[in-house]
Amino acid sequence: MQSEVMFAGFGGQGILLIGDIFAHAAMEEGREVAWIPSYGPEMRGGTAYCLVVTSDRPIGSPIIRNPMHLVAMNRPSLEKFAPMVKTNGVVVVNSSLIPIRADRSDVDELLVPANDIAKDLGTTKVANIVALGAFVARSKIVGFDILRQCVKAMFAAKEKLIPINLEALEQGKKVAEEA
Amino acid sequence: MGKVLMKGNEAIGEAAIKAGCFNYFAYPITPQSEVAEYLSRRMPEVGGVFLQGESEVAVGYMLFGAAGCGARVFTTSSSPGISLMSEALSYISSAQLPAVFVNIVRGGPGLGGILPSQADYFQATKGGGHGDYRLLVLAPDGVQEAVEMVMMAFPLAEKYRNPVMILGDGLIGQMMEPVEFPDHLISEPSNKDDWATSGMDTRNRKDRNLVKSLFLNAELLEEHNRFLKAKYDRMKQEEIRYESYNTDGDYKVLIVSYGIISRVCRTAIDMFKTEGLEVGMIRPQTLFPFPENAIKEAVSKSGCKAAISIELSMGQMVEDVERSVQGVCPVHWYGKAGGDVPTPEEIMGVVKPLSK
């Protein structure tokens, strides 16, 4: 079973980072994985997205036009990618920054006020981790325990950031479970 | 060491260290600058040398000099940078020194773009620099194979005393995949005394090693070129590498494709299978020497109606495919050269009509 997740937002939101953590979690579960960033002549604050493909089999084409799932952290990302998501995919919408909706009746849309939750935790910088927690809790593509381990590993060099990121993950999970 | 998740560019840098290469000279260029970024940190940790040259021209000659001294050395660049290094490649080939060049290809010509491309196929396999020289060219299809090929490249360069080029592309450089590295270091080459100008006191041989490419005497230059040709012919005998996919049974069309786009073709072949259409593929892993015989055999199978070269260029490898097929069946081409990598569905749309 192959699944593809598009993480999208603007530069500085930690989009590539949550893709990286998610890819690590899939690898730790023994799955095949490919993490493909958008790269181009981008500027700070410009769009940023990455695609993570996970599969039980060796991954053929890493080029995917229609991802299974989407985590949209800003409005242009939702506008651009929501129409491409496959039927029954999970679409996480960062409702703190996005006033619109995916406008699709065939996807599982999950509204997560990621920036507001992060702000309550002390810094909007962890909004990406809130969204990641919500996405994984909803899609269940990787186990939540492994995800926690991967968040810890990612911040191993900045240990004092681990507790707030783990809390952000839990808050995201809570939103997904209560929605 | 277990699997680690790494960007192709970083994995290439680590693979070189694992291969026992502690000399890396480079000049940054997208989409391969992460190799330099990674090795600027890693080389000092392992007691190696990271040096950013003032230009790619200088870097090419730094490799020439280091290789001449008997040091294991490599560089990475992308298309326009490799053009600037091509003069040095010609000199290094003539002087018969081992060195590894990695080209993370971007779109061209000129400055082109920074997205994935395979438009440097001709440059890598047919020349780039001047004179009758050849590079042994390896083409990985993902991060793990890039690692394996980097580790294979150094012993091959030393075996033939010839530059080896790894032809990747922007996507292989930028994407992250799980990779495994072997633990051991590759030992020093046994034939180093044959070329290294390392001083007479440390060597076993009595005669001097000369690094040169100038032969003003016609007979001597003829002899030199014949010697080089014999070496390239030996590569054709001993170093051809390729992978076959879905060629055990019968198939209607044979795809020839390498690097990242071959993975898209593999997915297209799997999708065809579910529709009941069989398509085979030969994926050259060495672009020079080219798997001519394997391709000829594959298209000679009864039922194979056509061959198609699918590449991220405007039709370069297709010339080698035509040469290999030798008129056994029609040879087609499909490609893109703007940086956009076709989807499996696009490939299917092109291949399907050829099966009828």
Side-chain angles (χ1 to χ4, degrees):
Chain A
M1 171 82 186
Q2 178 169 307
S3 82
E4 310 94 18
V5 189
M6 179 73 86
F7 296 92
F10 54 75
Q13 276 186 310
I15 301 300
L16 303 186
L17 181 83
I18 50 173
D20 196 345
I21 294 170
F22 179 73
H24 266 99
M27 183 182 75
E28 292 300 328
E29 286 194 344
R31 313 189 66 190
E32 297 287 340
V33 57
W35 173 95
I36 301 111
S38 62
Y39 77 95
E42 306 285 7
M43 58 184 177
R44 212 166 285 239
T47 57
Y49 59 88
C50 67
L51 180 76
V52 181
V53 184
T54 64
S55 179
D56 302 330
R57 299 181 48 211
I59 294 165
S61 170
I63 312 297
I64 310 284
R65 295 278 152 78
N66 297 98
M68 185 88 85
H69 310 289
L70 169 68
V71 176
M73 293 299 287
N74 68 352
R75 180 173 180 159
S77 304
L78 186 68
E79 287 172 337
K80 184 172 177 186
F81 296 117
M84 299 179 188
V85 174
K86 284 181 189 141
T87 298
N88 297 329
V90 172
V91 176
V92 170
V93 177
N94 177 11
S95 57
S96 302
L97 302 183
I98 308 176
I100 58 163
R101 299 296 166 251
D103 200 21
R104 296 257 313 251
S105 54
D106 60 338
V107 296
D108 179 14
E109 189 172 22
L110 176 62
L111 304 180
V112 182
N115 280 61
D116 294 310
I117 292 170
K119 204 172 170 186
D120 289 344
L121 289 172
T123 169
T124 54
K125 282 181 184 167
V126 297
N128 58 341
I129 305 290
V130 174
L132 177 66
F135 172 72
V136 170
R138 186 70 153 217
S139 67
K140 299 185 171 63
I141 294 174
V142 294
F144 217 85
D145 274 339
I146 282 191
L147 190 67
R148 285 189 192 101
Q149 295 309 315
C150 291
V151 165
K152 278 190 203 166
M154 188 57 75
F155 294 99
K158 296 171 185 168
E159 253 182 50
K160 64 176 187 330
L161 296 179
I162 292 175
I164 189 171
N165 279 286
L166 285 178
E167 185 50 33
L169 211 56
E170 298 307 320
Q171 291 290 330
K173 183 168 178 262
K174 209 171 124 194
V175 174
E177 284 165 356
E178 286 169 5
Chain B
M1 195 170 165
K3 282 194 174 178
V4 285
L5 193 62
M6 265 179 127
K7 260 195 171 196
N9 283 334
E10 295 177 340
I12 284 167
E14 187 61 32
I17 289 174
K18 290 280 193 295
C21 176
F22 300 109
N23 300 280
Y24 172 74
F25 313 135
Y27 190 84
I29 179 170
T30 306
Q32 64 76 51
S33 295
E34 292 89 355
V35 189
E37 186 188 354
Y38 183 80
L39 287 176
S40 66
R41 183 175 73 244
R42 274 293 277 155
M43 277 300 185
E45 283 175 12
V46 295
V49 176
F50 163 80
L51 202 151
Q52 182 175 322
E54 67 268 39
S55 74
E56 286 93 340
V57 176
V59 166
Y61 284 101
M62 286 173 182
L63 261 75
F64 190 10
C69 297
R72 200 170 266 164
V73 63
F74 95 116
T75 189
T76 58
S77 189
S78 183
S79 313
I82 296 290
S83 290
L84 290 170
M85 293 175 185
S86 292
E87 185 189 55
L89 274 167
S90 168
Y91 280 72
I92 296 170
S93 300
S94 183
Q96 299 197 70
L97 296 172
V100 174
F101 288 74
V102 180
N103 184 358
I104 300 297
V105 184
R106 58 189 253 177
L111 277 178
I114 60 172
L115 294 170
S117 169
Q118 296 179 328
D120 295 354
Y121 180 90
F122 280 154
Q123 185 196 46
T125 61
K126 315 282 179 196
H130 58 280
D132 264 316
Y133 78 92
R134 294 287 197 162
L135 304 175
L136 208 159
V137 184
L138 303 168
D141 73 345
V143 180
Q144 180 66 47
E145 196 172 57
V147 164
E148 285 157 17
M149 285 182 171
V150 167
M151 301 199 63
M152 189 194 295
F154 291 98
L156 281 174
E158 284 148 11
K159 176 180 174 187
Y160 290 98
R161 292 180 52 189
N162 200 72
V164 171
M165 177 161 284
I166 292 170
L167 207 64
D169 66 71
L171 200 54
I172 289 173
Q174 293 295 325
M175 72 195 276
M176 280 202 288
E177 288 186 308
V179 279
E180 234 168 331
F181 295 93
D183 284 327
H184 67 282
L185 290 179
I186 293 173
S187 59
E188 283 282 288
S190 57
N191 58 344
K192 206 161 127 179
D193 271 358
D194 296 348
W195 80 82
T197 53
S198 48
M200 297 305 285
D201 51 344
T202 56
R203 301 213 337 262
N204 304 322
R205 286 175 5 135
K206 286 279 180 289
D207 30 322
R208 291 187 305 157
N209 280 340
L210 262 184
V211 174
K212 68 162 195 168
S213 65
L214 180 67
F215 297 86
L216 290 173
N217 179 304
E219 266 177 49
L220 290 179
L221 182 57
E222 178 75 19
E223 194 189 320
H224 180 58
N225 270 303
R226 288 197 180 277
F227 184 84
L228 292 180
K229 182 179 186 302
K231 204 163 72 169
Y232 305 139
D233 287 345
R234 205 176 122 215
M235 289 179 191
K236 289 183 188 174
Q237 294 298 317
E238 297 178 16
E239 307 304 341
I240 289 174
R241 290 170 172 81
Y242 63 92
E243 189 184 70
S244 310
Y245 191 67
N246 200 38
T247 52
D248 290 341
D250 285 340
Y251 42 87
K252 294 257 172 74
V253 181
L254 182 80
I255 293 175
V256 183
S257 187
Y258 71 97
I260 196 73
I261 183 74
S262 69
R263 290 171 57 162
V264 184
C265 293
R266 211 159 64 196
T267 300
I269 289 170
D270 291 346
M271 289 161 74
F272 271 138
K273 222 181 207 346
T274 62
E275 291 182 7
L277 176 61
E278 296 295 339
V279 173
M281 177 165 75
I282 299 274
R283 173 173 77 90
Q285 292 163 300
T286 50
L287 302 180
F288 181 88
F290 194 70
E292 297 160 28
N293 294 338
I295 290 171
K296 174 132 192 237
E297 271 171 37
V299 293
S300 300
K301 210 163 176 177
S302 67
C304 180
K305 291 183 175 164
I308 180 167
S309 175
I310 300 180
E311 46 188 314
L312 296 177
S313 76
M314 285 290 107
Q316 300 191 15
M317 183 176 69
V318 65
E319 293 189 8
D320 280 338
V321 177
E322 281 168 348
R323 204 164 50 77
S324 307
V325 167
Q326 295 177 10
V328 170
C329 70
V331 175
H332 302 265
W333 160 83
Y334 180 70
K336 282 191 160 181
D340 194 18
V341 180
T343 59
E345 290 81 5
E346 275 176 83
I347 305 277
M348 289 172 80
V350 176
V351 171
K352 202 166 190 173
L354 305 181
S355 67
K356 296 203 173 90

